Amino acid sequence: LTTVPWSDPAPGEVVVRIAYAGVNGGCETFRVRAEAGTPFERNWAAGGGAPVLLGAEGVGLVAAVGASVSSLAVGDAVSVAGANAFSQYVTAPAGRCTKLGPLGPTPAAVALALSGVTAAVALETCGVDKQGGGARPALSAADTVLITAAAGGTGHLAAQLAAASGAAVWATTGGEGKAAALRALLAPWPRARVVDYRAEDLAIVLAAECPPPGLSVAYEGVGGALRATAVGALAPGGRVLAVGHISEYPNAAPGRLPEGNSGVRDMPALPPAHDTFWGGATVDLGQGRKLYGNVWGGADVRAVAAARRGVFAAAAGGRLTVLVDGSGPDVDTPYVGLGAAADAVERLMGGESVGKVVLRVWEN
């Protein structure tokens, strides 16, 4: 923990008092390590080895407003992206802040702000055929969708969005406790099937249950054997949306995934998940199939704004449920205060969390 003096916002900036910060395995892991091949390596070099500031997403209240800012006022509840949210106060350009509306600065809001919007943007825009003026929905009952890490922070939201479209969904997770939570979450949708990869072989399940020609979409956040299985089951014209590769992160808990799955058909050699994801590469898999390392690539500002409005409206209307790991009737998150940040990251990387891991920054 580091104490720094207060600094008034410059013109165009605001200061936000952070209420809750979301925890992301990729951002925190690779930022701390200044990992080669990521933006964090360049940022470290440019900063001359300055202290590493963590927290890719936060929600809170505007505490101060700089000159020329008219879109926000002191007291507004906002989300803020990329502003080092593991801090009591952060300074950010006003354009990086979004008003939260009636939901306010809550753990659910911080989960929706990045993890929820990522799921919506990826499923609705990345690799979607824009012909016909966009009249055709991105997903429909004709689609078959795989969601890996489906009990995770973004996966549990993506699984609901896909299921709500009417698509057939296979949602993977590891362990009976997580699988039970996921089954309860997806119970409203009879075409959603939960696969516990510790008890079932995903490739065998897909071969038996996914109708030919295979998956139309895979929302993939695990990497390793599950990424290979997803690609192997992909139909011609299908798309893999890479949102991470947590099984390959250097501080992932050992044994959190099976060593391999059977039944993967012949396919082109895949580049390392690290390079594809951090490089934002698109990989041609043949037969019109694509693996997208940058799931934001198909979205413009209007599409992102529409995705944000959509997920917040769905949550407010009870059509999208946000799971916060460790929450309960009297606990919004077990990780309270900046000193709990390391424990929150360890929880996520241990592979047993259900839903979004959230750090409560303010303590009153």
Side-chain angles (χ1 to χ4, degrees):
L1 296 177
T2 301
T3 300
V4 298
W6 171 274
S7 179
D8 290 330
E13 294 182 336
V14 297
V15 175
V16 179
R17 184 190 178 201
I18 297 295
Y20 296 93
V23 179
N24 291 280
C27 290
E28 301 355 318
T29 293
F30 293 109
R31 192 188 304 266
V32 166
R33 295 167 58 90
E35 191 79 9
T38 73
F40 310 126
E41 177 188 31
R42 299 189 293 274
N43 294 347
W44 176 269
V52 177
L53 302 176
L54 299 177
E57 59 196 325
V59 295
L61 301 176
V62 175
V65 176
S68 76
V69 174
S70 59
S71 58
L72 297 171
V74 171
D76 283 347
V78 297
S79 65
V80 57
N84 314 316
F86 290 5
S87 306
Q88 291 177 324
Y89 293 87
V90 299
T91 301
R96 288 221 306 255
C97 299
T98 303
K99 288 184 180 180
L100 291 174
L103 191 59
T106 62
V110 80
L112 292 170
L114 183 57
S115 296
V117 174
T118 298
V121 166
L123 292 171
E124 295 168 7
T125 70
C126 184
V128 174
D129 183 359
K130 301 297 194 302
Q131 294 181 358
R136 190 177 67 182
L139 289 177
S140 71
D143 284 296
T144 49
V145 182
L146 172 68
I147 310 288
T148 65
T154 189
H156 84 283
L157 299 169
Q160 293 176 77
L161 294 174
S165 75
V169 176
W170 288 264
T172 75
T173 191
E176 181 49 40
K178 295 171 70 173
L182 198 53
R183 291 188 193 101
L185 181 70
L186 298 177
W189 297 285
R191 299 189 73 200
R193 157 84 148 93
V194 175
V195 181
D196 177 357
Y197 60 70
R198 295 180 183 173
E200 299 181 272
D201 186 312
L202 176 60
I204 293 175
V205 169
L206 292 176
E209 300 178 9
C210 182
L215 295 169
S216 52
V217 180
Y219 188 84
E220 213 295 289
V222 175
L226 290 192
R227 182 179 75 142
T229 298
V231 171
L234 199 62
R239 52 195 175 114
V240 178
L241 309 172
V243 293
H245 47 288
I246 196 167
S247 72
E248 302 178 40
Y249 294 173
N251 56 332
R256 62 176 293 155
L257 289 174
E259 292 184 0
N261 277 311
S262 63
V264 178
R265 69 181 185 221
D266 292 338
M267 70 182 87
L270 295 175
H274 179 285
D275 297 349
T276 303
F277 179 77
W278 292 109
T282 297
V283 182
D284 188 344
L285 302 170
Q287 298 181 305
R289 302 177 300 159
K290 298 286 181 64
L291 188 157
Y292 295 91
N294 175 16
V295 299
W296 296 81
D300 57 18
V301 173
R302 290 174 298 178
V304 173
R308 181 176 290 109
R309 289 192 301 270
V311 295
F312 274 88
R319 301 184 304 277
L320 184 64
T321 299
V322 178
L323 298 181
V324 175
D325 183 62
S327 64
D330 301 314
V331 177
D332 57 7
T333 173
Y335 304 103
V336 179
L338 291 174
D343 289 339
V345 174
E346 289 289 347
R347 169 67 174 174
L348 176 61
M349 298 310 301
E352 298 303 321
S353 58
V354 177
K356 184 72 174 179
V357 178
V358 174
L359 175 69
R360 175 148 60 98
V361 176
W362 64 20
E363 300 181 52
N364 57 358

